[in-house]
Amino acid sequence: MTPTQEPPGPGTTHKRSLTIAQLAELAGVSTATVSKVVNGRSEVAPETRALVEGLIREHGYRRQRRRESPAALVELVFHALEGDYPIEIIKGVEQVAREHDLAVVLSELQHRHVPGRSWIEGVLGRRPTGVIAVFSGLTDDQHDQLATRGIPLVLLDPSGDPGHQVPSVGAGNWNGGLSATRYLVQLGHRRIGIITGPDYALSSRARLDGYRAALDMAGVPIDPDLICRGDFLIEGGLAQAHRLLRLPDPPTAIFACNDGQAMGVYRAAYELGLRIPDDLSVIGFDDLPPTRWAIPPLTTIRQPLTEMASAATTMLVRLAQGEPVAQSRIELGTELVVRSSTAALAR
Amino acid sequence: MTPTQEPPGPGTTHKRSLTIAQLAELAGVSTATVSKVVNGRSEVAPETRALVEGLIREHGYRRQRRRESPAALVELVFHALEGDYPIEIIKGVEQVAREHDLAVVLSELQHRHVPGRSWIEGVLGRRPTGVIAVFSGLTDDQHDQLATRGIPLVLLDPSGDPGHQVPSVGAGNWNGGLSATRYLVQLGHRRIGIITGPDYALSSRARLDGYRAALDMAGVPIDPDLICRGDFLIEGGLAQAHRLLRLPDPPTAIFACNDGQAMGVYRAAYELGLRIPDDLSVIGFDDLPPTRWAIPPLTTIRQPLTEMASAATTMLVRLAQGEPVAQSRIELGTELVVRSSTAALAR
């Protein structure tokens, strides 16, 4: 029983890897049991599963029939299906998947940012061509489980730090934050509030840092009272806008770090009898389709979600074909879209 | 070679059905070719495919390995992925699919209302547990192709007449149209405009008939000038609202047959300097999440899209398990949701 030399598969650095029979012998279990673990089936005792997964992690797993091709499926997993953000992404994935005759399997994590066991078992059982995780991440074990089966993973708009190993696609969030704030400064605003996303979202931190940089470059002092932590939800935007607009020295402009929160700012202004943009300028982030129908139409930073999703899917297809990807992190540019929710500061 | 007697499968009325070998002999082609047709593979000449499909239609097809279970997939096909309507439906399908360990394969028809050949080939190749088609239909051939493979189909919010054979889930559209219009009449409105959906959509025709019935019951004469044909899109709502509001005797209230069109009416009012609800009452249909954030919040008819999608998926699972479904057409109730876009007619 000598494991043969083999080139490392995508995402693994294993020099040797074992067949199901070899893994079964090492673990002291049947080949059927190893096969169940490999294929993500559930009828295996947790200890046995842990033992076999440990051996796979240590030695690697080599598919016996090399020609066995993966299913023509792309797994697309969202932390939540809320608002227009998922639809923009689904469209981009569908488009590229269709070109490659791949069908898209959609899952929702019900607001969790890491999938559970039933999800990964389902994925391993379906043997997809690859996995795209949106605004979420995988556990180290789940990474290993995909890598040892040669199933590539691409993170799309990852909420946390994707690390160096995992390819990811995002947007130029820092630049977007800079552009939004700089535009407000150019309009004469000095008291500029910001409603960020949650702290764990790197995209939100980058937008906040862009805001700080723009103020700093303009010589405007940063007032911590004007920085509010939001949650990327309309309700959060509403609550934080009320807090900002009730300050003794309230802001004359608010940068909401996503379009949903900007809609919350609109509502707060409506409730307080403030007119947009006469009494308050508002700028969002995303450029989701409904924002152009807001009254007044929302000035925002366009994040090309559909293009980002297409890029992630193209990257995934390349990885699945064993081609190298030039960069493991792609950032698509953001862009200021001026509509009618921003105006020069009245003096 | 005597075809054996067999109970009819779901959706078929065939008393006898043939195996692949029997079909191959009848057609004078190889079993491999018949197998390709059965499994939706593309490398078959069109005439041969038509010949084999014709034989399957005529005689039925019997899977040789009866135990071969379908893939744990539900196919969900949309005519278009636009706005919040698809997300509400996806959530309902995901929920029930998850309970049954089924994954959801999502396809978009890019605004066509009937899927093309690559879609049906993909579906047959994946051998799913069932298919849910949203606001679209299948060709007779596609129906046959699914039926002969024992793949059940459920139509969700079908745009056209689903016929008696195909199970479907919809909403109480006529009642919704009645409730919306009756509420406006109760508020004192007599000049009530309506912006319908496209003519081919039965849901839109039913809402229009509900509108007519409510006016008739209130003794309000129906003015054809006040009936506009829309397209269920925001842009269409905007254009039709402009037409209505520029009539010599314009309406004091508009019933938009979906929420998107209601947003178009909001925009038209804004452009014409009319205040909602002071100068114009507006009522929508759907109750999509953004409508409660519209300014002012939209009065609308709630159509329980997520529950409809769950019901369709439950129906599909039953059909796949060979259980009878009590009714082949389910209609879930609609409900008036009063918010702030409607007011009593000022006298």
Side-chain angles (χ1 to χ4, degrees), chain B residues 33-40 44 49 52-53 56 124 149:
Chain B
T33 298
V34 175
S35 169
K36 280 177 188 165
V37 173
V38 165
N39 293 304
V44 180
R49 175 184 302 279
V52 175
E53 288 286 359
I56 291 179
L124 299 182
R149 275 87 172 171

Side-chain angles (χ1 to χ4, degrees), chain A residues 7-315:
Chain A
T12 81
T13 52
H14 300 114
K15 295 216 174 45
R16 291 143 176 270
S17 55
L18 306 186
T19 62
I20 285 185
Q22 292 167 328
L23 286 165
E25 189 166 327
L26 265 182
V29 300
S30 70
T31 54
T33 299
V34 175
S35 169
K36 281 178 189 165
V37 174
V38 164
N39 293 307
R41 306 251 302 277
S42 51
E43 2 27 309
V44 180
E47 319 81 67
T48 313
R49 175 184 302 278
L51 172 66
V52 175
E53 288 285 358
L55 288 170
I56 292 177
R57 238 185 338 264
E58 188 179 344
H59 300 282
Y61 154 63
R62 171 156 53 95
R63 245 186 235 133
Q64 237 135 344
R65 288 180 296 158
R66 279 254 129 205
R67 289 140 299 146
E68 189 187 317
S69 55
L73 299 173
V74 170
E75 300 277 339
L76 177 60
V77 55
F78 282 93
H79 86 294
L81 292 170
E82 298 289 348
D84 295 78
Y85 171 100
I87 284 291
E88 295 305 295
I89 285 175
I90 292 168
K91 282 199 279 197
V93 173
E94 281 279 338
Q95 199 177 306
V96 175
R98 218 168 14 233
E99 286 164 15
H100 292 89
D101 289 323
L102 297 169
V104 178
V105 175
L106 189 76
S107 324
E108 193 209 12
L109 302 181
Q110 297 152 284
H111 294 271
R112 283 171 302 161
H113 284 276
V114 170
R117 197 171 123 182
S118 67
W119 178 81
I120 189 78
E121 283 176 358
V123 169
L124 299 182
R126 289 189 286 276
R127 300 188 304 108
T129 298
V131 174
I132 298 176
V134 186
F135 201 60
S136 53
L138 266 60
T139 65
D140 288 348
D141 274 0
Q142 290 167 345
H143 274 283
D144 283 347
Q145 286 175 295
L146 293 181
T148 52
R149 275 89 171 170
I151 300 172
L153 165 71
V154 173
L155 301 182
L156 180 50
D157 196 10
S159 53
D161 183 357
H164 294 295
Q165 302 291 336
V166 187
S168 67
V169 177
N173 289 301
W174 186 85
N175 277 301
L178 184 84
S179 304
T181 313
R182 184 182 271 169
Y183 180 65
L184 293 170
V185 168
Q186 283 167 357
L187 290 172
H189 295 278
R190 292 295 174 270
R191 299 283 298 161
I192 300 173
I194 181 171
I195 303 174
T196 70
D199 276 349
Y200 63 78
L202 288 193
S203 60
S204 164
R205 287 178 176 266
R207 291 170 202 177
L208 173 60
D209 282 346
Y211 159 90
R212 285 202 183 98
L215 292 181
D216 191 54
M217 287 162 77
V220 177
I222 288 161
D223 179 350
D225 275 354
L226 294 181
I227 300 177
C228 293
R229 205 184 75 169
D231 53 7
F232 281 159
L233 299 176
I234 301 179
E235 290 83 349
L238 170 61
Q240 297 304 323
H242 267 292
R243 200 185 77 60
L244 283 169
L245 295 170
R246 283 170 170 159
L247 286 174
D249 185 9
T252 59
I254 294 179
F255 168 30
C257 282
N258 77 349
D259 285 351
Q261 293 186 147
M263 292 303 98
V265 177
Y266 270 49
R267 170 62 66 90
Y270 171 67
E271 289 172 356
L272 296 170
L274 297 172
R275 289 160 306 160
I276 298 170
D278 312 60
D279 304 321
L280 178 71
S281 283
V282 181
I283 187 163
F285 200 109
D286 276 344
D287 195 26
L288 296 173
T291 60
R292 77 190 63 131
W293 294 102
I295 294 175
L298 180 71
T299 297
T300 191
I301 300 293
R302 179 171 150 72
Q303 166 172 228
L305 291 170
T306 302
E307 292 85 343
M308 285 157 61
S310 293
T313 315
T314 301
M315 200 184 227

Side-chain angles (χ1 to χ4, degrees), chain B residues 128-141:
Chain B
T129 298
V131 174
I132 298 175
V134 186
F135 201 62
S136 53
L138 266 61
T139 65
D140 289 347
D141 274 359

Side-chain angles (χ1 to χ4, degrees), chain B residues 16 48 51 61 76 79 101 118 129 140 155 157 167 227 292 299:
Chain B
R16 292 145 175 268
T48 312
L51 173 65
Y61 153 63
L76 177 61
H79 86 294
D101 289 324
S118 67
T129 298
D140 289 347
L155 301 181
D157 196 11
I227 300 176
R292 76 191 64 134
T299 297

